[in-house]
Amino acid sequence: MHDKLKNRILAALFLLIVAGGFLLHVFLPDAARSTAERRSLAKLPEITLSSLLGGKFSQNFDTYALDQFPFREGFRSVKAFVQYKLLGRKDSNGIFLAEGHIGKLEYPLSESSAYRAAEKFVQLRDTCFPESQVFLSLVPDKSYFLAEQNGYPALDYEKMFAIMKENTPGFTYIDVTDTLSAQDYYTTDAHWRQECLEDTALRLAEGLGVKDSFKWEYEAIDIPDFYGVYHGQAALPFKPDTLTYLTSPTTEDALVYNVEMGKTETGVYDLAKLTDGKSMDMYDIFLSGAAAVLKVTNTHAEGAAKGRELIIFRDSFTSSIAPLLLDGYESITLVDIRYIASEFLPQYVDFNGQDVLFLYSTSVINSSSMLK
Amino acid sequence: MLFSSVTFLYFFLFAVLAVYFIAPRRLKNAVLLLFSLFFYAYGEPRLVVLMLLSVLFGYVHGLLMGKFRNKPRAKKLCLISSVCFSLAPLLIYKYTDFFIANLNALGASLPLLKLTLPIGISFYTFQIISYTADVYRGDAAPQKNPIDLAAYIALFPQLIAGPIVRYTDVAHDLAHRTHSVEKIGEGALRFSIGLGKKVLIANVLGELSAALLTTEASILGAWVRAAALMLQIYFDFSGYSDMAIGLGTMLGFRFPENFNYPFISQSATEFWRRWHMTLGSWFRDYVYIPLGGSRVSTAKHIRNIFAVWFLTGFWHGASWNFILWGLFFGVLLLAEKFLLKGFFDKLPRVLRHIYLLLAAAVSFLLFDAPDLASASERILSLFGGAPLVSAEGLYQCKNYFTVLLIASIGATPLPKRLTERLFSTAAGKKAAVILVPLFMAALILVSTAYLVDGSFNPFLYFRF
C-alpha cells in the first residue's frame, strides 16, 4: 500500500518537474544577456536544412536550452551552495573564498607564457621605440595575497617576476607588490580599488621620474552595488562592493580620444556606462572599458609635466591607475595589444621618444597568447 | 543527445512521455520508434540511415531464417550473412583506421579514412546479432512486424550506451507490455538515481582526474587519480545503465541489470560477473559457448578465454590499449582458474579485495590512457618516479575528498542495505512515502543545477 502510494507520488513529482521545466522554458521570455557572467545569452537557433543535417542546430539548441533555462541564476546558486557548503569543496570552477574575498585560482605558472610576454615586449621596443626609456611593472593578481596564505595552490610569482626581469634587458623594473595588499582589491572583482592606489601610483611616479608632479588631491565619489566579475562566477550571496572613483580638476578636464575609433570619449570616467544598457561591467567607467588605443590629454599640464608624454602598454588594471598618473604628463597614450595587432600600432601611435611603461597583471603574463 | 542534458530532460523526455501515453496501444511502438530515430538523428542526422539499413538487414535475415527453419544449411548461411552484414559497418567505421595505422607501422603508407564513429554502433550491432542468433537457434520467433523490430533495436533508452538488451529479453514486452503510474514512479526514481550518479559524482570525479593529470606529479596524486578514475568510470557507466533501466520501466519494459557492485568483488572472475553484465553474458552466449566453452581440451579452453577477452577489449575501442585491457583480464581470469585457485581460497577476504581493487585500478589506467606510452607512464607513476606528495596534488585530494568518500561508499551495497533497513519498519514505510520522493526531487534539481552551470558532461561510453 505504502509502496504504491510512494510510486504514485514519485510519478507525479517527476512529471511535474519535467513538464514544469518544459513549460517554464517555453513560456518565460528569453533573457538577452547574463550580467553575472558578462556575456550575451544564446537565442533560439533558426532551423535550416544545412544546420539540421550538419548537426549545428542540435549544438546551438543545447546551448540555448542551457542559457535560457528558467531561474538559471538560482540553479547556479544551488550548485555553488552544494559545492561549498555541503561537499566542502575549497573551490568551485576555480573560484575560492578567502578573507572575505572571492578569488580565482591562478596556477600553475606557465613559464613559456612569461617568456613569450617578455619576448613580445622586447620585440615591440626594438621595432617601435628603440630610443625610448622603457619601464616594466607587474600587477599581482589577488591570488598573490590570498591563495598560498589560505592553503590554495598559487603560481610561482617570484619565478614569473624573475623571468620577466631577466628577459627584458634595458627595461627598468618598477616593483609595486609591496604597495598592495588584498584589501586594495574589490572583494567581488579581479581589479584593484582606485581609491587604494596612492602608494602604488606614487611608486610608479617615482620609478618613471615624475614624482615631483605627483599629487594626491582627489574627491572620492562612491557608486554603490558593484557586483564584480567573480560575484557572478561564484554564484553565492555576497555583499556587493562600492565602486569609488577619484576626481580632481585634472581628471575632470582631461580629454580622452579613442585613436582607433576616431572619436572623443566622455572623459576618464565614463558614467554613461552605468546606464547605457550595453556595458555589463561597472568597472568600465574607468576610461570607457576595453579599447585598443586611447590618448588622454591633461589640459592642466604645467611645469615639468608640460610636453612630457607617456605610452602605457596595458590591460584593464591600467584603466583605473592611469588617471592618477596624469598630473605628471601632458598626455598618456594607452595601448592594449589584446585588441590590436602590434604591427598596426605605427598607424595609430606616433612613437617619438616618449617614455614607455609596460604595466601588466600577472594573469595576462600567465596567458600571454592573448597579446597580439 | 545525452540523457544528462537539459535538452533531453526538459524537452525530449517531456514530449516522449506526453505523446507515448496519449497514443493508443497499437501505435505505441511506432511512437517509440519515431522518437528513437529523432533521438539518434539529433546528434548524427546522416548516420541514422546506416542504423536503419542495419535494422533492415536484421529484419530480412530474421524472416529468411524463419522461412528456412527446416533447411539447416540455408538457415546457417542466413546467420553467417546476417553476422557479416551486421559486423561490416562496425568494422568499417570503428576499426578501419586501426588496421590501416598498424599496416602503416609495418611499412605501408595508406591514408587514414577518419570516419565519424556512429554513436552506439557497438551496442546496436550486438543487439541485431543477438536477435538473428536467437532466431537461428530457435530461441526466438522471427519478428514479422518491422516497426516492432526497429523499435527494439533503436529503442532510445538503451540505444547508445546499453545495457545490451537481447531480443529475447524484451520480445514479450514489445507486444504485451503493461503501463501504470506505479511503473512510471519506479522508473523515475531509478532514472533520477542514475542521473545523480552521472552528473553529481562521475562528472565531478572526472574533474578531479583531469586536475590530477595536470598538477605536479606525486605518488599520492597518482593513487588518488587511479581511484577517482575507477569510480568515475563505474558511476558514469552504471549511472547511464540506471537511467536506461529507469526509462525502460517508465515505458513498460524490463531491461536486464548491468552492474552489481563490482568493486566488492574478491577476484577478477567475480568482478566480471558484476561489471557490464550484459556484455559479459553476450560474449559468453554468442562467442565463448559456441567456441566450446570449457567443455573442450585445456588448450582450447584457454584459447576460448583469450578469444573472448581479446574481443571484449577490442569491442571497447580500436586501440591496443583496449586490447591489452581485455587481455589483462583474460590473464587474470586464467591465473585465477588454473594457477592460483587454491592459493586464492586460502587468502583472507580483505587481501582478495585489495588484489581486485589493485587489478581494477591498473586496468582502468590502461583503459583510460590515450596510448600505450601514457598508460605505462601512468601505471609506473603509482610506484615511484615522483615525490610522495605535492602541494597541488594534496590540495586537489582535500578539495574532492567528500565526493571521493561518497563515491567510495556509494560503490558498495551499504547505502542500499541501510535504506532498506530504514524503510522496512511500519514507520519507515510511512516515512518513505515522503522522504523518497523528496530525495528524488532533490537529485533532479541539484543535477539540473550542475547541468545548467557546467559544461563538463561527456559520456565515457559514447565512444564505444
Side-chain angles (χ1 to χ4, degrees), chain B residues 342-356:
Chain B
F343 173 71
F344 263 112
D345 292 343
K346 286 176 198 157
L347 276 181
R349 284 170 60 124
V350 65
L351 288 183
R352 279 183 276 167
H353 277 304
I354 290 171
Y355 149 75
L356 181 274

Side-chain angles (χ1 to χ4, degrees), chain A residues 91-113:
Chain A
D91 74 83
S92 178
N93 300 329
I95 296 291
F96 65 92
L97 310 175
E99 299 178 22
H101 279 265
I102 308 174
K104 189 170 180 64
L105 295 179
E106 288 278 354
Y107 85 100
L109 169 65
S110 168
E111 290 185 35
S112 61
S113 177

